[in-house]
C-alpha cells in the first residue's frame, strides 16, 4: 500500500492494494519516477521507452487502471515530478535543464519556469508539501524550500531571493566548519 499522513487533522490516506495487485506493468518501458495525487487517487508516472529512450508522463487511475498520456515527445524531458492537486499544478525538473523548475497544469503544459540554482547544479530530489505550499528540493546535499504561494513576484525577484537564500545558507554552513 501507499500511505500519506496529514498532520493538520492527523488523518491517514491510503491507497491499498492486495499483495498480488498489479496496477501497471510494461516490458517496453522503464518506470523512472511516480507521484501520487491523493485527491483523485491517480498516480502520475514518468517512464522511459527501453527501445528509443523516449520519455512519457501519464496519469494512471488506480481504480480503473486506465492510462492517459499527458507529456510525450517534448523538448523538456522530465526527470523528477511532483504535483499540487489543490492548485492543479504539476512541477518537474528536466534532464536538459536540471536546475530549472517547470510549472505546468496537470496536463503537462508549461505555465512558467524558475531557475532554482546555478546552471551547473542539479536538483536530485523534489517534493511538494500541501500544508506549507512549499516545494522542497535538494541540491548537492542541501535541502531548500520554495513557497509556491508567492504569486505576484517576478522571476527576477524570485531569482534574487533564491540567490540570497543560497548565500545565507552557504555562510551558515561555513560557520559550522
Amino acid at each position: 500500500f501507499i500511505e500519506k499522513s496529514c498532520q493538520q487533522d492527523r488523518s491517514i490516506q491510503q491507497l491499498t492494494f492486495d499483495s498480488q495487485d498489479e496496477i501497471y506493468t510494461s516490458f517496453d518501458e522503464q518506470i523512472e519516477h511516480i507521484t501520487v495525487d491523493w485527491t483523485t487517487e491517480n498516480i502520475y508516472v514518468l517512464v522511459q521507452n527501453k527501445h528509443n529512450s523516449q520519455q512519457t508522463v501519464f496519469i494512471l487511475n488506480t481504480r480503473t487502471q486506465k492510462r492517459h498520456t499527458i507529456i510525450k515527445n517534448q523538448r523538456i524531458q522530465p526527470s523528477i515530478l511532483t504535483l499540487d492537486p489543490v492548485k492543479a499544478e504539476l512541477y518537474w525538473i528536466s534532464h536538459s535543464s536540471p536546475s530549472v523548475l517547470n510549472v505546468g497544469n496537470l496536463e503537462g503544459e508549461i505555465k512558467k519556469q524558475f531557475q532554482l540554482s546555478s546552471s551547473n547544479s542539479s536538483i536530485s530530489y523534489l517534493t511538494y508539501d500541501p500544508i506549507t505550499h512549499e516545494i522542497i528540493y535538494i541540491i548537492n546535499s542541501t535541502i531548500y524550500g520554495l513557497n509556491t504561494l508567492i504569486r505576484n513576484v517576478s522571476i527576477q525577484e524570485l531569482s534574487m531571493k533564491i540567490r540570497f537564500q543560497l548565500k545565507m545558507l552557504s555562510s551558515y554552513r561555513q560557520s559550522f566548519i
Side-chain angles (χ1 to χ4, degrees):
F1 71 95
I2 302 173
E3 180 177 280
K4 174 193 173 210
S5 62
C6 179
Q7 293 186 7
Q8 281 181 327
D9 61 3
R10 302 203 189 292
S11 66
I12 295 178
Q13 295 175 305
Q14 293 183 359
L15 294 178
T16 306
F17 308 107
D18 291 334
S19 61
Q20 298 300 314
D21 281 355
E22 190 172 280
I23 60 171
Y24 175 78
T25 189
S26 174
F27 296 107
D28 295 335
E29 296 173 321
Q30 170 80 30
I31 296 174
E32 293 189 347
H33 196 83
I34 66 168
T35 189
V36 178
D37 179 344
W38 295 99
T39 59
T40 63
E41 296 183 2
N42 287 332
I43 299 175
Y44 284 69
V45 183
L46 168 63
V47 295
Q48 182 174 31
N49 185 293
K50 292 179 182 178
H51 304 292
N52 62 16
S53 298
Q54 174 185 334
Q55 286 187 301
T56 304
V57 176
F58 62 86
I59 302 168
L60 181 64
N61 184 303
T62 59
R63 286 175 251 131
T64 65
Q65 281 84 36
K66 290 188 179 176
R67 170 181 170 159
H68 171 68
T69 299
I70 60 170
I71 299 175
K72 186 174 186 175
N73 280 341
Q74 287 195 350
R75 61 179 173 79
I76 297 178
Q77 297 280 303
S79 60
I80 305 172
L81 57 115
T82 192
L83 63 93
D84 175 357
V86 175
K87 290 190 295 229
E89 291 182 332
L90 185 65
Y91 305 99
W92 70 91
I93 305 300
S94 68
H95 288 290
S96 59
S97 301
S99 61
V100 174
L101 176 68
N102 298 283
V103 182
N105 61 24
L106 294 180
E107 289 296 313
E109 298 169 4
I110 297 175
K111 297 192 307 189
K112 53 187 144 185
Q113 296 177 313
F114 297 104
Q115 182 76 36
L116 295 180
S117 68
S118 63
S119 59
N120 61 350
S121 297
S122 294
I123 295 169
S124 59
Y125 179 80
L126 180 73
T127 191
Y128 179 77
D129 183 341
I131 297 170
T132 64
H133 300 278
E134 292 230 323
I135 292 183
I136 300 159
Y137 58 99
I138 297 175
I139 300 174
N140 300 330
S141 300
T142 303
I143 301 170
Y144 299 96
L146 174 67
N147 193 306
T148 62
L149 293 177
I150 304 171
R151 291 291 189 197
N152 298 323
V153 177
S154 71
I155 292 176
Q156 290 80 16
E157 290 174 310
L158 191 56
S159 289
M160 287 176 26
K161 287 182 179 187
I162 291 170
R163 276 189 237 122
F164 177 75
Q165 195 178 35
L166 289 170
K167 285 180 185 176
M168 294 300 293
L169 285 169
S170 178
S171 64
Y172 181 72
R173 287 176 73 191
Q174 292 296 324
S175 67
F176 286 104
I177 297 176

